[in-house]
Amino acid sequence: MFNKGWWTDDTFQKWQPAGCMSHEYTPKEISTCLNHSRVLYIGDSIMREQYYSMAKLSRDFKITGSLHIDRHMVFEELGMVYDFWWDPYLNSTRTIELLEGKSKEQKPSLLVMGSGTWHMRRLKKNYFKVWKPTMERVFKAVEKHRIADTVLLSPVETPKYDLLWPPRFKTITAPKISQMNAYLKKREAELKTKVPFKITYVWNEIASTSNNATIDGLHFLQPVTKAQGLLALNFRCNQELPKTFPMDTTCCYTYPSPQWFQTVWFLVPLVWVPFCFLVANYEKRQDQFFVKYLVPSNNVLYALLTMGLGVGYMYLGDRTQLFGKIHKVFQPVVFSGLLLLLLGVGLVTLRKKESGDQGFLNRAQTDEWKGWMQIIILVYHFLGASSVSGIYNPVRVLVAAYLFQTGYGHFFFFYKKGDYSFGRVLSIMVRLNLLTFVLQYLMNTNYLSYYFSPLVSFWFIIIWVTMYVGNKWNKTPSFLLAKMFGMAMLTTLIIHYPGLLEFAFKCLEYTFNIQWNPVEWRFRLALDAWIVYVGMLIAYLNIKITEQKLPSKAYWSTAKNASIVVSCVAMIWYFWFELSRPNKFVYNTYHPYISWIPVLAFTILRNCTLGLRNRSSRFFEFIGKCSLETFIGQFHMWLAADTQGLLLILANPMWAHGLGWWVNLGLSTVLFVFVSYHLSQATGEITQWICSGANKKNKNNTSGHIPVELSTARDTTTSGSNADVEYQSVPLLAETKQDELSLSPSLSSASPQSNSSSDRFLGNEGSRSNNVVVSMDDQLYSDKQYSNDDSAEESWTYESNRTSTMSRMMSKIGQFIGDTRFKTLIFLICVGIANNFC
């Protein structure tokens, strides 16, 4: 931090230390860090200017009085005292007493000293001879005495030579400054101090690389001196910042050691998975209980190992100093250039499917849609573009478009398949939240901070409840629409009713130590309170259009052309509207009610012709298939400091400046996409493993009371087309084998009788328990035939009935304990209890 760095832009408002992120302290934070104590600057006019900037970080004031005098300021509201001692040679009596540990004044919390310019200017050839003992006095003080909580020594300042006054230009020369600063570097390496001590060489670089920040070439203005003062505070205070999420400061900062619940996640890939591999592949133990029931398959073990390595990389990137971190910098040209470049890649990888009509919102199209939206969001986050209202507003629409797909896709599935089983719900919820669940403990963050997983999970549950309640009347339009309207009113009440979320979150905090922010969560939910229902309505409309065969009507072509014109006008209107709002905060008040306009307009335009429906970009599709992992993973392995900065993977932090910034972007992006893709594959495999029991029961219970649509999952959903269209069952998630099975025509049309032979193997507890009881009764009956004693027969019959009753009871208990819903509930309760110890 005190050696290298650079200005982030041409305004010279933000200094970037090499490889770390500094903190901009508020007055309250300064007061807390410095223990409501004292800051002391000692030196010449250069130190005086730094003193002014440091004091102004706490409170602004007007400078009056003579120049070469002491200064004393008290900020009573903060309990802070700021002192400046005019002592250009550091040889006054009180300075010497302070350095010798004899001062009776209050010990400074931060002591900053500087000297050398007056030596060169006034002492001519004797400058070094007089200056050197002065520095030795300072070095001796920090080695033998605790003269302050923290001590900083300014190097001899390098001025802007072309602006110096002629007498100064003749005496303050580069050779002299180089000699003095070289001596400081040599002596600093030899020191063993009793107090935190640093020579701030980077202050010269801050001054020399700035423009228009000095009038006389020697005394620098606020941007330079403010940056110098902030670095002094970072050195003094950063270790005292809370070691909790969000950890957005990394300079002079030591990350906390892993706690027990973080260590657990390291044990999985490093200990448990290798142990399972070893045990599972040891031939003599293949039949043991441990191997059969507690060791998963090799595919699952590989997935666990992959996930462990992936989240381990995130931990090393964002919870250690192994990698550097730098601040985000928004540059409009870079933002536009990156998007144009990625658009070009998407266009180059366009492909067309020649066979038939792929259909309205087909799988390839929705994956592509997710992909290019995800790319825009990633670039938006990487460059910190949220401060630009004209960019922020459309990005909010992209989030709404994700939720539109959620409403559309899940409504379509539930309406067509009628599968409201717990296994279905569990599969979706685990897939959406598995990575987030692991990261919230491993990174010691907050679940809601990964807002996308909670957001989509919330709306999925809402969709499921809406479709499940009274599902046998879902084919009645009035009933279905009334349900949707009622649920919309209920969710509006949940979101906006004062105190409701606060009460729920307070209960979670009291019971399970879950500390969620209701204000932030209400903001997230309220922004997209209606778009999910729009997605559901469009799915229902699409189904009805297909059922009524409206595309074959004479007026369909006219209606389609009219919708294209209206969509174009709607798009233009939206961008005019959002750009004309004064700021993003004003726009947010309109967003919930207008976000559907550009989403529907794009949907219509994207599907208005056969050529558009059948074309998609392979590049965007690829990103779309792992969009969940890229969204969550960016928090810790592309971005850094809990999304506040950028991860620096280059060995030399200074390489990240200029052209090196682009090199770091390329390398970190390749690693980011690689890890995200493999995490997507791994979480899909682990999800199937976790939910395997519930999914087996679903297959066995297809003849239950839940209605099942027998028409197959490939429906003609586009106008005027007889082609099969693959339904996207899980928006935002990669397609899995499980989805293929659940949507296959053979499984959909399977008769109840077809499951009878598989009940014994797929875990249908009801069938299995009945089979057990029957087989026991048969065995008892056959045994009873060999008894000729009537009393013995009566006794045996009694024992038989009692045994049969006991077996039924044990079977019921076994069913209850083995029920996936029960196990899920127990798991959540255990996690909640464990939270109280985290």
Side-chain angles (χ1 to χ4, degrees), residues 327-549:
H327 291 284
K328 300 177 182 179
V329 180
F330 176 69
Q331 302 177 59
V333 175
V334 175
F335 181 82
S336 303
L338 282 175
L339 292 185
L340 288 174
L341 174 64
L342 294 167
L343 174 62
V345 176
L347 293 175
V348 168
T349 58
L350 275 176
R351 64 175 176 177
K352 181 180 180 181
K353 294 185 177 181
E354 302 292 346
S355 56
D357 189 338
Q358 297 304 305
F360 181 80
L361 287 180
N362 56 76
R363 164 70 71 171
Q365 184 186 135
T366 52
D367 280 341
E368 177 200 77
W369 192 1
K370 290 182 294 180
W372 66 256
M373 289 195 301
Q374 184 63 25
I375 286 173
I376 293 175
I377 291 174
L378 289 173
V379 175
Y380 165 85
H381 284 159
F382 193 83
L383 293 176
S386 61
S387 60
V388 183
S389 179
I391 300 175
Y392 169 89
N393 300 341
V395 168
R396 290 306 320 163
V397 172
L398 299 186
V399 175
Y402 274 109
L403 295 176
F404 169 85
Q405 287 192 47
T406 299
Y408 181 95
H410 288 303
F411 177 93
F412 204 113
F413 178 88
F414 288 131
Y415 187 89
K416 300 294 287 185
K417 296 293 294 178
D419 178 7
Y420 310 100
S421 63
F422 181 75
R424 172 71 182 177
V425 175
L426 184 65
S427 295
I428 298 297
M429 293 298 288
V430 171
R431 184 68 178 86
L432 283 172
N433 293 282
L434 180 59
L435 182 58
T436 304
F437 177 81
V438 173
L439 287 178
Q440 69 170 333
Y441 287 101
L442 178 65
M443 310 301 289
N444 199 10
T445 57
N446 187 296
Y447 172 69
L448 293 186
S449 66
Y450 307 95
Y451 69 92
F452 201 72
S453 289
L455 195 62
V456 177
S457 299
F458 173 85
W459 286 113
F460 167 72
I461 294 299
I462 293 298
I463 297 166
W464 176 78
V465 171
T466 303
M467 298 300 292
Y468 176 73
V469 174
N471 59 80
K472 63 182 179 180
W473 294 294
N474 277 351
K475 302 301 180 180
T476 305
S478 58
F479 177 77
L480 182 60
L481 293 174
K483 274 202 306 181
M484 292 170 61
F485 178 79
M487 184 58 75
M489 294 300 101
L490 179 60
T491 52
T492 301
L493 179 67
I494 293 172
I495 294 169
H496 293 287
Y497 189 80
L500 195 58
L501 286 178
E502 285 79 1
F503 174 76
F505 285 10
K506 201 68 179 177
C507 291
L508 290 175
E509 180 180 1
Y510 179 79
T511 308
F512 298 127
N513 194 30
I514 296 175
Q515 300 176 3
W516 292 347
N517 186 343
V519 176
E520 176 68 18
W521 188 231
R522 176 176 286 111
F523 169 76
R524 296 289 184 188
L525 291 176
L527 276 178
D528 300 299
W530 304 102
I531 192 66
V532 171
Y533 297 107
V534 174
M536 296 171 70
L537 286 172
I538 294 302
Y540 188 54
L541 180 63
N542 183 33
I543 293 170
K544 288 303 177 183
I545 287 174
T546 304
E547 290 177 352
Q548 300 297 324
K549 299 181 180 180

Side-chain angles (χ1 to χ4, degrees), residues 808-827:
R808 290 191 182 94
M809 184 182 301
M810 294 303 295
S811 176
K812 292 293 185 183
I813 294 173
Q815 289 181 44
F816 180 76
I817 295 176
D819 190 277
T820 307
R821 292 166 291 185
F822 174 76
K823 290 189 286 188
T824 302
L825 178 62
I826 293 299
F827 171 77

Side-chain angles (χ1 to χ4, degrees), residues 72-356:
H72 176 73
M73 284 184 273
V74 179
F75 300 156
E76 293 183 356
E77 71 277 12
L78 298 172
M80 290 297 302
V81 176
Y82 287 88
D83 281 328
F84 169 71
W85 292 352
W86 172 259
D87 187 3
Y89 297 105
L90 299 183
N91 64 351
S92 67
T93 301
R94 60 181 174 180
T95 300
I96 293 174
E97 289 180 349
L98 175 66
L99 294 177
E100 292 177 349
K102 298 178 180 178
S103 176
K104 296 182 180 179
E105 296 191 40
Q106 180 186 9
K107 185 175 74 171
S109 183
L110 175 62
L111 171 61
V112 185
M113 297 179 287
S115 183
T117 303
W118 275 57
H119 292 78
M120 292 184 287
R121 178 77 177 87
R122 308 290 182 180
L123 302 181
K124 299 181 181 179
K125 293 183 179 181
N126 293 325
Y127 75 95
F128 191 78
K129 183 179 178 180
V130 176
W131 174 82
K132 180 179 176 181
T134 302
M135 294 299 101
E136 287 300 324
R137 188 184 299 119
V138 174
F139 296 148
K140 183 179 179 180
V142 296
E143 285 187 313
K144 292 190 174 183
H145 307 290
R146 296 185 179 274
I147 58 176
D149 295 335
T150 299
V151 180
L152 294 177
L153 178 63
S154 175
V156 181
E157 184 183 82
T158 302
K160 295 277 190 179
Y161 293 105
D162 57 330
L163 298 177
L164 288 177
W165 181 42
R168 289 175 177 170
F169 183 79
K170 291 180 181 180
T171 54
I172 303 175
T173 64
K176 291 180 180 179
I177 295 173
S178 297
Q179 180 190 20
M180 299 165 83
N181 284 335
Y183 178 77
L184 292 178
K185 289 184 179 180
K186 174 179 175 296
R187 287 292 291 119
E188 184 184 27
E190 302 168 351
L191 293 178
K192 295 181 180 179
T193 64
K194 283 192 173 182
V195 295
F197 173 78
K198 204 73 177 177
I199 301 177
T200 57
Y201 303 106
V202 77
W203 285 358
N204 274 339
E205 190 164 353
I206 293 174
S208 62
T209 56
S210 63
N211 290 328
N212 302 320
T214 177
I215 298 174
D216 60 6
L218 190 64
H219 302 98
F220 287 84
L221 303 177
Q222 181 85 358
V224 169
T225 53
K226 179 182 178 181
Q228 294 169 336
L230 284 172
L231 290 187
L233 285 173
N234 274 257
F235 181 70
R236 168 63 180 85
C237 296
N238 282 3
Q239 279 288 41
E240 298 184 22
L241 290 173
K243 307 283 185 178
T244 56
F245 165 83
M247 300 181 191
D248 55 1
T249 300
T250 65
C251 293
C252 304
Y253 182 85
T254 302
Y255 286 99
S257 300
Q259 300 186 53
W260 69 267
F261 54 86
Q262 295 172 286
T263 306
V264 167
W265 298 108
F266 291 113
L267 296 178
V268 171
L270 297 178
V271 178
W272 188 65
V273 170
F275 175 73
C276 288
F277 269 122
L278 182 65
V279 171
N281 291 281
Y282 186 48
E283 294 182 1
K284 294 183 179 180
R285 298 188 178 183
Q286 287 292 322
D287 297 328
Q288 290 189 4
F289 174 86
F290 179 83
V291 177
K292 279 187 173 181
Y293 298 100
L294 299 182
V295 176
S297 67
N298 281 350
N299 287 341
V300 175
L301 289 175
Y302 280 120
L304 290 170
L305 180 61
T306 299
M307 187 169 186
L309 294 175
V311 298
Y313 172 59
M314 295 187 205
Y315 184 90
L316 292 176
D318 209 17
R319 287 297 181 267
T320 72
Q321 295 288 6
L322 180 63
F323 297 96
K325 289 93 178 170
I326 57 176
H327 291 284
K328 300 177 182 179
V329 180
F330 176 69
Q331 302 177 59
V333 175
V334 175
F335 181 82
S336 303
L338 282 175
L339 292 185
L340 288 174
L341 174 64
L342 294 167
L343 174 62
V345 176
L347 293 175
V348 168
T349 58
L350 275 176
R351 64 175 176 177
K352 181 180 180 181
K353 294 185 177 181
E354 302 292 346
S355 56

